[in-house]
Amino acid sequence: MSETRKIAAILVSDVVGYSRLAGADEDRILARLRALRSDLIDPTIAVHHGRVVKRTGDGALVEFRSVVDAVRCAIEVQNGMVERNAGLPPDRRIDFRIGIHLGDVVEERDGDLMGDGVNIAARLEGICEPGSICLSEQAYWQVKARLDLAINDRGAVQLKNIADPVRVYSLQVGVPAQAKPAAAAEAAVPERPSPQLALPDKPSIAVLAFQNMSGDPDQEYFADGITEDVITDLSKVSGLLVIARNSSFAYKGKAVDVRQVARELGVRSVLEGSIRRAGNRVRITAQLIDAETGGHLWADRFDRELSDVFAVQDEVTRRIVDALMIELSPSEAAMLGAVKTTSKAHDFFLLGREALWGTIRNRGVFERSTDLFAQAIAQDSNYGEPYAGLAMAEVLNWQFHWTDGWSESLEKAERHVDLALQKSPQVAFVHYVASVFYLWNKDLDRSAAEADAALNLNPNYAQAHNSRGIVNIYGGQPLAAIPHIEQAIRLDPALRQLYIHFLGSAYLVAGKFEAASALFRERIRLAPNTDLSRAFLAVALGHLGEAEEAGRVWRELMEINPKYSFAEHVGRLPFRDQADVDHLSEGLSKVGLPS
């Protein structure tokens, strides 16, 4: 059979006044729609078990297994848009109309849907008020007893090209039903869900921080380090999407529902486990969980000598790959089997990495981490990763001036980078650090090459994607940076507040000022004390001629950092073309701000 008839809950959405918005600035509206789909719409559809049948440029046709799911999805999207539109002038708001109907549809062989069920939903969307949801009578009766909603009965409406009148109910999003008691009215406003991401079209996994079962808090670094090594090994597999450490470790120490974690991170499976270290023995337990069913795909326990810990990591990785039915390429298999170093050298490296990548960064952390990296090298002088750790520490010292000799830090970093690349050319972390070093050394071509090398070894390396994007921004190809930075956000959503600054920078350098300003506003919302994003927001507003708003943003910036200097800030950035720097300064000059 080429088609199937069925009853389905159909949701149709559309942007109000899309032609007007696109006519004013098509690049901006497309950038905002792309961000909304990635951060709000697609994740919300996924968590409510919807299927996007097709998109229509500014709208979508979505099938749900129940009307309750469809309405809950619509409410969350519309409430999310209320928050995102807050503070924006009317000509920059994006408002959706949503129509929902339960009816008979025809499913084509390719999955497309047709018939009255689709047509009625589309016509309901067309008569909606901006930001509203319209339900047919059939849909309304499915949800009236299940959801506490404020409903306006609009009576029977003759819809275009629909033979019989349809009784229409309009849902006032976020407004409690008047007939309900106060307690129920409070429950009527849906709690904003945690950020959720759409599932990729390939196997995907998040590795939660392994629990330290050693009874010694000082062994926490070891459990975290082994977890990160497992993440790194899995990340080498091109057929697997792996969430970065920053994002999976955000759940550390919390009582979590694995299925909720998977929904928030947009993965199909989750690995959790524990580590017990006692003397020269280590016990690792791990279990791979199917996020949809909550069932175990694989579980095992490993009791080994500490010297065999690398073999255990490799075995865990291979067992996960087998459980997910992923076929490794010969080069991927070889990388997973590579022997790294001695257990003592690795131990010192883990301690140094834990210190340098912690939330506190100062001179004390710099001195502690470099001492630990040096001890790792003393244990194994052919171990490249601690040399890369030293290089990164020196780059950070050059940026933050922790020591009196900070001006010599890039020279020291270069020596460490060279040694790291000589000793561990097969390690993505080494190439990532090299990319960062060459970026600040203003060798953009070499920085790009090193970022590419890191991604060839580890296609899931979020920070390397971001680094590659940054090189494109400063190298004069800002639009080419966007896919890389968006992929960094997908792989590492916990660092979205950082990556979104660079995404805004890409649009800013490209001259897409509306899109840039929207992204910088979002960064300020996520990181309220940022001075850099405020400076660049003022630049974008200056180019848009919004002098009053640019001045307000600049005053906020100076309250946060009274010593801020735009010339000093931009002067440190490794732009290849002075014209790009001049164009940024021009945005401030246009509205009388110091450039």
Side-chain angles (χ1 to χ4, degrees):
M1 293 178 63
S2 61
E3 61 181 40
T4 303
R5 284 194 172 274
K6 62 181 180 180
I7 301 296
I10 303 299
L11 179 152
V12 173
S13 69
D14 191 38
V15 174
V16 178
Y18 175 77
S19 297
R20 171 183 54 80
L21 293 170
D25 191 333
E26 186 174 22
D27 290 327
R28 176 186 63 82
I29 189 67
L30 289 175
R32 286 198 65 197
L33 282 175
R34 186 188 298 136
L36 286 171
R37 285 172 180 166
S38 172
D39 298 342
L40 173 66
I41 298 169
D42 287 354
T44 306
I45 290 171
V47 79
H48 291 290
H49 313 292
R51 177 178 75 91
V52 178
V53 178
K54 60 185 174 185
R55 300 192 191 278
T56 56
D58 58 320
L61 167 63
V62 188
E63 176 189 12
F64 289 86
R65 65 185 186 183
S66 78
V67 177
V68 173
D69 282 339
V71 172
R72 283 176 172 160
C73 175
I75 290 171
E76 290 181 13
V77 168
Q78 295 290 41
N79 278 325
M81 291 310 303
V82 169
E83 181 172 314
R84 283 161 172 78
N85 283 326
L88 293 179
D91 62 340
R92 293 190 197 156
R93 293 168 54 96
I94 290 181
D95 291 305
F96 289 103
R97 291 185 295 238
I98 297 177
I100 299 174
H101 175 59
L102 176 69
D104 184 66
V105 297
V106 176
E107 183 172 11
E108 299 288 327
R109 180 177 294 176
D110 62 0
D112 196 6
L113 298 181
M114 303 176 66
D116 282 348
V118 174
N119 296 337
I120 291 173
R123 297 308 179 193
L124 289 169
E125 175 271 311
I127 66 170
C128 264
E129 295 295 320
S132 184
I133 303 165
C134 282
L135 311 178
S136 67
E137 184 173 15
Q138 293 89 332
Y140 169 71
W141 283 103
Q142 293 293 318
V143 298
K144 67 183 296 286
R146 293 179 173 86
L147 298 175
D148 185 20
L149 306 174
I151 292 288
N152 175 31
D153 184 351
R154 296 174 57 172
V157 177
Q158 185 66 59
L159 302 175
K160 184 178 179 181
N161 295 333
I162 303 297
D164 297 322
V166 174
R167 189 164 191 136
V168 178
Y169 295 82
S170 179
L171 169 58
Q172 302 171 52
V173 176
V175 180
Q178 298 300 316
K180 300 290 183 181
E186 290 178 6
V189 182
E191 181 180 348
R192 186 186 175 198
S194 300
Q196 296 158 340
L197 297 168
L199 292 174
D201 57 1
K202 62 181 179 180
S204 49
I205 188 171
V207 181
L208 299 182
F210 284 17
Q211 286 185 287
N212 171 29
M213 305 295 288
S214 303
D216 180 2
D218 289 341
Q219 293 298 315
E220 195 76 15
Y221 81 92
F222 183 74
D224 289 351
I226 296 301
T227 310
E228 184 164 355
D229 285 348
V230 171
I231 293 172
T232 299
D233 281 346
L234 288 170
S235 296
K236 298 173 184 176
V237 181
S238 59
L240 182 62
L241 183 141
V242 183
I243 295 299
R245 175 199 193 274
N246 294 308
S247 295
S248 60
F249 272 49
Y251 300 91
K252 184 178 177 181
K254 301 176 182 178
V256 296
D257 179 340
V258 166
R259 285 174 287 188
Q260 179 63 23
V261 170
R263 286 194 294 268
E264 292 176 359
L265 296 178
V267 294
R268 302 179 187 276
S269 55
V270 175
L271 182 74
E272 59 179 6
S274 64
I275 294 179
R276 183 186 301 276
R277 179 178 177 179
N280 290 323
R281 300 287 298 179
V282 61
R283 169 178 290 179
I284 299 177
T285 63
Q287 53 185 359
L288 182 65
I289 300 169
D290 183 314
E292 183 175 357
T293 66
H296 286 69
L297 296 171
W298 162 79
D300 209 339
R301 186 181 76 184
F302 305 87
D303 287 291
R304 297 285 196 278
E305 293 289 334
L306 193 59
S307 58
D308 291 334
V309 69
F310 300 127
V312 175
Q313 290 173 199
D314 293 338
E315 188 170 352
V316 169
T317 302
R318 292 177 187 277
R319 297 287 295 274
I320 293 169
V321 168
D322 289 343
L324 296 176
M325 294 182 287
I326 299 170
E327 185 174 347
L328 294 176
S329 70
S331 62
E332 289 171 339
M335 282 193 292
L336 294 184
V339 176
K340 295 166 183 167
T341 184
T342 68
S343 60
K344 286 186 177 180
H346 188 56
D347 219 34
F348 282 122
F349 172 69
L350 291 182
L351 284 165
R353 184 175 66 182
E354 190 78 6
L356 191 61
W357 264 255
T359 55
I360 299 173
R361 285 183 170 177
N362 53 32
R363 179 170 183 159
V365 168
F366 169 79
E367 292 174 345
R368 172 170 165 73
S369 63
T370 53
D371 179 64
L372 289 164
F373 291 139
Q375 291 187 65
I377 292 168
Q379 292 291 327
D380 180 2
S381 61
N382 290 315
Y383 184 22
E385 290 179 70
Y387 289 102
L390 286 172
M392 180 61 83
E394 293 292 355
V395 170
L396 293 173
N397 188 35
W398 178 80
Q399 289 179 313
F400 296 109
H401 303 183
W402 288 323
T403 69
D404 294 337
W406 66 267
S407 60
E408 300 174 359
S409 283
L410 284 188
E411 293 178 14
K412 295 177 181 178
E414 184 169 19
R415 292 195 292 270
H416 296 314
V417 163
D418 287 343
L419 287 167
L421 290 169
Q422 290 172 25
K423 297 173 184 298
S424 296
Q426 78 286 5
V427 176
F429 169 70
V430 168
H431 290 282
Y432 163 68
V433 172
S435 177
V436 173
F437 163 73
Y438 283 112
L439 175 74
W440 292 111
N441 208 39
K442 299 192 176 182
D443 186 345
L444 298 185
D445 292 337
R446 182 67 185 272
S447 179
E450 294 296 343
D452 288 340
L455 292 171
N456 285 334
L457 291 165
N458 184 339
N460 287 284
Y461 205 154
Q463 289 174 302
H465 274 292
N466 190 55
S467 184
R468 189 64 179 88
I470 291 172
V471 173
N472 282 330
I473 293 171
Y474 296 136
Q477 297 178 302
L479 295 180
I482 293 170
H484 281 292
I485 301 173
E486 288 180 338
Q487 184 65 2
I489 293 171
R490 177 63 182 89
L491 293 167
D492 197 4
L495 279 188
R496 183 174 184 275
Q497 62 86 15
L498 172 64
Y499 298 136
I500 203 170
H501 170 81
F502 295 111
L503 193 59
S505 300
Y507 281 105
L508 181 66
V509 175
K512 311 297 183 183
F513 303 120
E514 289 279 5
S517 62
L519 289 163
F520 289 128
R521 289 182 193 279
E522 178 69 2
R523 172 83 198 300
I524 292 167
R525 185 182 72 81
L526 295 171
N529 291 325
T530 175
D531 53 358
L532 303 183
S533 291
R534 278 185 170 84
F536 278 5
L537 174 57
V539 170
L541 293 170
H543 278 293
L544 292 169
E546 299 186 23
E548 183 176 347
E549 179 65 5
R552 184 191 66 78
V553 170
W554 193 264
R555 288 191 294 274
E556 285 183 357
L557 185 160
M558 297 311 295
E559 289 177 4
I560 292 168
N561 182 2
K563 297 181 179 179
Y564 178 82
S565 164
F566 185 78
E568 181 182 343
H569 166 201
V570 178
R572 293 197 309 268
L573 302 180
F575 279 103
R576 172 174 284 161
D577 191 342
Q578 181 61 34
D580 287 332
V581 177
D582 295 341
H583 197 43
L584 295 180
S585 300
E586 182 187 346
L588 297 181
S589 299
K590 284 182 175 180
V591 288
L593 294 174
S595 58

